[in-house]
Amino acid sequence: MSRFTCAAVLLAALSAACSNSPTVTTPTPTTPVYVTDTFAGTLTRNGATTFPFSVSTQGAVTANLTSVGDASLTIGMSLGSWNGTACNILLANDQAKQGVTMVGTASGIGTLCLRVYDVGQVTTPVDYTVTVTHP
């Protein structure tokens, strides 16, 4: 009987150890915190300006041409990735007018860029403002 008792005690101990199943937790995705950058300048004939900005995670990137000194003027606006010296254009609108919005997606942490440029319609310097919302 001694062997039977030892086997029963061992079986009970193993059963108790196996009954404690581990708790599996699923990470809750975090909602990115969005920031808004405002870029402003003066666009000249055949001119262009590039504005780099950093993104902290993946998410939507929205650029809005909020104002142009001459609201009837068409200019160019593009979004891309910044390599430290140039903007690698990924989205472009060569027919941007005041109020136009461009929407892209950042795939992760990095530096993106906004480029504002003349598409052949600027004859005298014109002021502009673009707001960019990004994670």
Side-chain angles (χ1 to χ4, degrees):
M1 272 276 185
S2 164
R3 284 187 185 177
F4 180 71
T5 305
C6 285
V9 170
L10 181 61
L11 184 60
L14 290 174
S15 296
C18 292
S19 67
N20 292 335
S21 60
T23 303
V24 177
T25 58
T26 304
T28 305
T30 58
T31 303
V33 175
Y34 283 85
V35 296
T36 300
D37 291 322
T38 301
F39 303 112
T42 302
L43 188 58
T44 58
R45 184 176 187 163
N46 297 322
T49 304
T50 301
F51 302 96
F53 59 95
S54 297
V55 293
S56 60
T57 188
Q58 68 182 17
V61 177
T62 304
N64 181 268
L65 183 56
T66 53
S67 71
V68 178
D70 176 355
S72 67
L73 189 65
T74 299
I75 65 173
M77 186 170 77
S78 59
L79 288 169
S81 60
W82 179 250
N83 69 10
T85 55
C87 190
N88 179 26
I89 304 303
L90 301 171
L91 295 172
N93 183 344
D94 291 342
Q95 300 295 314
K97 289 190 178 257
Q98 182 171 304
V100 75
T101 298
M102 295 178 66
V103 179
T105 302
S107 59
I109 296 171
T111 305
L112 301 180
C113 47
L114 165 75
R115 186 166 171 79
V116 179
Y117 52 95
D118 177 28
V119 291
Q121 293 195 6
V122 174
T123 56
T124 59
V126 61
D127 293 335
Y128 63 87
T129 303
V130 180
T131 55
V132 178
T133 303
H134 60 88

